[in-house]
């Protein structure tokens, strides 16, 4: 997992590491990228890498968390639009995660994000319903993203939202927002 301190220097190092991984992924497949590659491109030391991350997958997990936080925090009045728009802006990250067969990373990131989002909402009295709804949303999103990448990212944002799974996700996202 990642464990980033709340100081300026640590945050700057993490940004360098994330940017370094992105640059490495433009030249190599994820499986071929090493910590030494990231360190070389980002200019951080090995100890700095390990101070913030346990392994390279953790850098992806942080990047994934950030993408979904961006989606859920961007336009809360229309969360479904924000989610689909954000997917399309960060499709390279999603494609990398799907390409290394780590759908579980998408699911875990989405669950963390919906949990944080839920914790900021007023108590609705039905915590179990919100928990199950968050799980269904995460599963639906993960399935749609994986299928979209596996199909070659042929569908547009509007086409994905109009498909049965996309319409269901839009309804679930809106219900989650209303229940909180």
């Amino acid at each position: 997992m990642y464990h980033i301190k709340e100081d300026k220097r640590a945050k700057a190092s993490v940004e360098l590491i994330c940017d370094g991984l992105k640059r490495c992924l433009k030249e190599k497949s994820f499986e071929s990228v090493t910590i030494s590659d990231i360190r070389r491109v980002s200019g951080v030391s090995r100890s700095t890498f390990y101070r913030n991350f346990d392994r390279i997958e953790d850098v992806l997990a942080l990047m994934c968390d950030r993408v979904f936080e961006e989606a859920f925090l961007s336009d809360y009045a229309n969360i479904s639009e924000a989610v689909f728009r954000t997917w399309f802006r960060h499709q390279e990250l999603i494609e990398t995660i799907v390409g290394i067969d780590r759908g579980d990373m998408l699911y875990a990131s989405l669950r963390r994000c919906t949990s944080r989002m839920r914790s900021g909402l007023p108590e609705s009295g039905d915590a179990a319903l919100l928990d199950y709804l968050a799980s269904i949303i995460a599963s639906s999103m993960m399935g749609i993203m994986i299928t979209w990448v596996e199909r070659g990212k042929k569908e547009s944002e509007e086409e994905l939202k109009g498909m049965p799974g996309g319409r269901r996700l839009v309804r679930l996202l809106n219900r989650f927002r209303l229940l909180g």
Side-chain angles (χ1 to χ4, degrees):
M1 198 61 201
Y2 56 86
H3 26 84
I4 301 156
K5 294 182 180 170
E6 289 297 319
D7 68 73
K8 256 186 189 178
R9 199 174 83 190
K11 288 180 180 182
S13 295
V14 166
E15 292 310 311
L16 290 170
I17 292 167
C18 289
D19 290 343
L21 177 58
K22 287 178 194 174
R23 291 191 351 222
C24 288
L25 289 172
K26 289 181 182 183
E27 299 171 12
K28 296 180 168 187
S29 68
F30 181 81
E31 295 86 356
S32 301
V33 175
T34 65
I35 291 170
S36 293
D37 293 331
I38 296 170
R39 187 190 60 70
R40 196 174 315 109
V41 171
S42 65
V44 301
S45 68
R46 183 173 286 285
S47 61
T48 298
F49 181 92
Y50 283 112
R51 191 174 310 120
N52 295 290
F53 302 98
D54 295 332
R55 49 186 216 256
I56 298 173
E57 287 86 355
D58 298 336
V59 181
L60 274 182
L62 172 65
M63 292 165 65
C64 195
D65 283 358
R66 287 177 172 180
V67 167
F68 291 114
E69 285 172 8
E70 174 188 332
F72 281 97
L73 297 175
S74 59
D75 182 6
Y76 200 67
N78 194 349
I79 189 71
S80 57
E81 288 288 328
V83 168
F84 279 101
R85 236 179 262 130
T86 304
W87 287 2
F88 277 81
R89 271 198 311 276
H90 298 281
Q91 57 186 281
E92 297 82 15
L93 174 63
I94 293 167
E95 190 171 15
T96 298
I97 292 168
V98 172
I100 61 171
D101 201 24
R102 289 298 310 268
D104 62 304
M105 189 180 292
L106 291 171
Y107 181 80
S109 181
L110 287 161
R111 287 289 291 156
R112 283 189 297 274
C113 187
T114 54
S115 292
R116 283 191 293 267
M117 185 174 131
R118 183 176 169 265
S119 69
L121 297 173
E123 194 59 44
S124 70
D126 199 347
L129 177 61
L130 284 173
D131 287 341
Y132 283 108
L133 198 51
S135 183
I136 292 167
I137 290 168
S139 297
S140 296
M141 270 191 205
M142 182 187 70
I144 291 169
M145 288 186 292
I146 289 171
T147 302
W148 179 64
V149 169
E150 288 174 345
R151 289 185 40 77
K153 302 184 298 184
K154 296 175 188 169
E155 296 82 12
S156 70
E157 179 181 337
E158 290 303 315
E159 289 171 323
L160 281 179
K161 286 189 293 189
M163 290 184 177
R167 286 193 302 268
R168 177 177 177 228
L169 180 58
V170 168
R171 285 192 308 274
L172 288 169
L173 285 165
N174 289 333
R175 182 154 187 217
F176 187 80
R177 180 181 54 83
L178 292 173
L179 285 173

